[in-house]
Amino acid sequence: MHWIQVGDYDEMSELAASIFEQQLLRKPDSTLGLATGGSPQGFYVSLVKRYINGGFSFKKVNTFNLDEYIGLGPDDETSYHHYMKRSFFDFVDIPVSQQHLPNGLADDLLLECQLYEQAIEESGWIDLQLLGIGVNGHIGFNEPGTAFQSKTQVIDLTEETRNKNSKYFSSEAEVPAQAITMGLRTIMKAKQIILLAFGEEKAGAIARLQAGTVTEDFPASILHHHPNVKVLYGK
Ligand code: GLP
């Protein structure tokens, strides 16, 4: 694991965006794994700016998001579909058919998980995966206790996660109880991973990750077994 301490949030965002820009210059038909939440907001702003300045395109790119809440659709402002549109997809040239997120409204959720996993595999797995980290060590929505061998799956969100994410909803009761998330095995198939963690709130999770014990009780710890991870962190 490669640890990169940043001085501020903007530095983290710029650095992450520059790594994505380099990836696209090197391989214009990359498969990108994308994340939502507060951590990557600045990253999307920077990546869109770089795209507008020219030099690279997303036309041949496929994107797969880590997760989506069950019960929320693209028109729902609190869905991750909506987040991706307003933060990124509306400003770049990725064809809609190449933008993938799990469908939280699918009638058959297990089938949806299988199809999502299959689509990632058929895309040749992810070239470059962006991750945030939950204070409990979750990556995607893989909560503590998730099997390291998990594929895309339906997950029950912990009370802690629902409480943390309630800031994006009108109340905690509005936060869905479940989500579809790429599994830990799916994430580990990515060729390169960038994890973003900024602020005092994440310091505990980063310290635990740095300590190095690999356990399913702390899902992000699986990243110690990946050959190409950069952790961009600071507070
Ligand atoms: C959320 C998301 C994760 C995200 C994490 C941290 O619940 N499902 O993919 O990385 O929690 O979010 P934030 O960046 O807002 O702190």
Side-chain angles (χ1 to χ4, degrees), residues 107-123:
D107 289 332
D108 186 337
L109 293 167
L110 294 183
L111 179 63
E112 173 62 18
C113 292
Q114 283 169 12
L115 293 175
Y116 199 69
E117 184 80 13
Q118 197 179 316
I120 297 171
E121 182 167 5
E122 281 167 7
S123 186

Side-chain angles (χ1 to χ4, degrees), residues 36-40 66-67 80 132-134 138 140-141 161 165 168 202:
T36 50
S39 307
L66 283 166
D67 44 19
Y80 287 161
I133 184 170
H138 73 216
F141 263 137
T161 295
N165 287 5
Y168 300 114
K202 297 294 166 75

Side-chain angles (χ1 to χ4, degrees), residues 91-149:
F91 309 102
V92 296
D93 60 349
I94 309 174
V96 175
S97 62
Q98 291 161 221
Q99 305 166 0
H100 307 276
L101 284 96
N103 177 8
L105 297 178
D107 289 332
D108 186 337
L109 293 167
L110 294 183
L111 179 63
E112 173 62 18
C113 292
Q114 283 169 12
L115 293 175
Y116 199 69
E117 184 80 13
Q118 197 179 316
I120 297 171
E121 182 167 5
E122 281 167 7
S123 186
W125 301 109
I126 285 161
D127 290 303
L128 179 56
Q129 175 70 55
L130 187 70
L131 293 179
I133 184 170
V135 293
N136 62 3
H138 73 216
I139 49 177
F141 263 137
N142 294 289
E143 298 280 35
T146 303
F148 279 166
Q149 279 308 314

Side-chain angles (χ1 to χ4, degrees), residues 5 11 49 73 87 117 125 189 197 201 211 219 228:
Q5 191 163 12
E11 186 187 339
K49 270 192 199 142
S87 308
E117 184 80 13
W125 301 109
K189 289 275 184 186
E201 200 193 16
N228 192 355

Side-chain angles (χ1 to χ4, degrees), residues 20-167:
F20 273 68
E21 181 176 14
Q22 292 305 315
Q23 172 71 30
L24 292 170
L25 289 170
R26 202 166 51 238
K27 188 179 178 206
D29 61 346
S30 290
T31 299
L32 303 179
L34 300 178
T36 50
S39 307
Q41 283 283 5
F43 157 82
Y44 288 118
V45 171
S46 173
L47 194 55
V48 168
K49 270 192 199 142
R50 286 160 192 266
Y51 162 74
I52 290 169
N53 286 340
F56 68 100
S57 159
F58 292 94
K59 274 208 177 83
K60 294 182 180 167
V61 160
N62 269 284
T63 65
F64 288 91
N65 266 77
L66 283 166
D67 44 19
E68 178 59 287
Y69 289 110
I70 288 176
L72 301 186
D75 294 334
D76 199 314
E77 284 182 16
T78 50
S79 72
Y80 287 161
H81 272 82
H82 199 282
Y83 171 108
M84 288 307 298
K85 258 178 73 61
R86 68 174 186 269
S87 308
F88 188 52
F89 293 150
D90 280 352
F91 309 102
V92 296
D93 60 349
I94 309 174
V96 175
S97 62
Q98 291 161 221
Q99 305 166 0
H100 307 276
L101 284 96
N103 177 8
L105 297 178
D107 289 332
D108 186 337
L109 293 167
L110 294 183
L111 179 63
E112 173 62 18
C113 292
Q114 283 169 12
L115 293 175
Y116 199 69
E117 184 80 13
Q118 197 179 316
I120 297 171
E121 182 167 5
E122 281 167 7
S123 186
W125 301 109
I126 285 161
D127 290 303
L128 179 56
Q129 175 70 55
L130 187 70
L131 293 179
I133 184 170
V135 293
N136 62 3
H138 73 216
I139 49 177
F141 263 137
N142 294 289
E143 298 280 35
T146 303
F148 279 166
Q149 279 308 314
S150 54
K151 299 181 179 181
T152 301
Q153 61 179 334
V154 171
I155 202 106
D156 293 330
L157 302 179
T158 62
E159 277 314 301
E160 184 182 24
T161 295
R162 294 183 69 227
N163 176 269
K164 290 278 168 226
N165 287 5
S166 63
K167 58 177 181 260

